[in-house]
Amino acid sequence: MSESYCPRCELEKLQSLVTPEYIAQVVKNLPEEDGVTACSAEYKRRMDICGACSAFAGGMTCTYSGSYAAYRAHVLADACPYPGNDKWK
């Protein structure tokens, strides 16, 4: 009997590969551009704020934006999506 394909199982396998360390490595390898991306000190400041936030889930996701916080923190034009309070300002 051969195994049948299960899309949900395949998605769970892929999701298990995405860890906070993996996301941090991907962001570290993104290009930097003055005025567009955060310098390392600003990125760290933003991520420290995210790390202390109740909306930071699983060490990588902002529950308000649904995105990886590390990506948002990397881009200067992005703001903290916390309702009524941009914590990065």
Side-chain angles (χ1 to χ4, degrees), residues 14-75:
L14 289 173
Q15 287 174 329
S16 72
L17 300 175
V18 179
T19 64
E21 296 79 20
Y22 174 79
I23 296 298
Q25 187 61 45
V26 169
V27 171
K28 182 179 179 182
N29 291 327
L30 291 173
E32 293 184 14
E33 187 176 339
D34 285 339
V36 176
T37 59
C39 67
S40 59
E42 176 62 10
Y43 173 78
K44 181 181 180 332
R45 184 188 75 81
R46 289 178 172 203
M47 288 305 298
D48 286 346
I49 291 167
C50 290
C53 182
S54 62
F56 193 52
M60 53 188 178
T61 307
C62 173
T63 59
Y64 288 110
S65 69
S67 64
Y68 295 119
Y71 292 132
R72 290 185 73 88
H74 180 71
V75 179

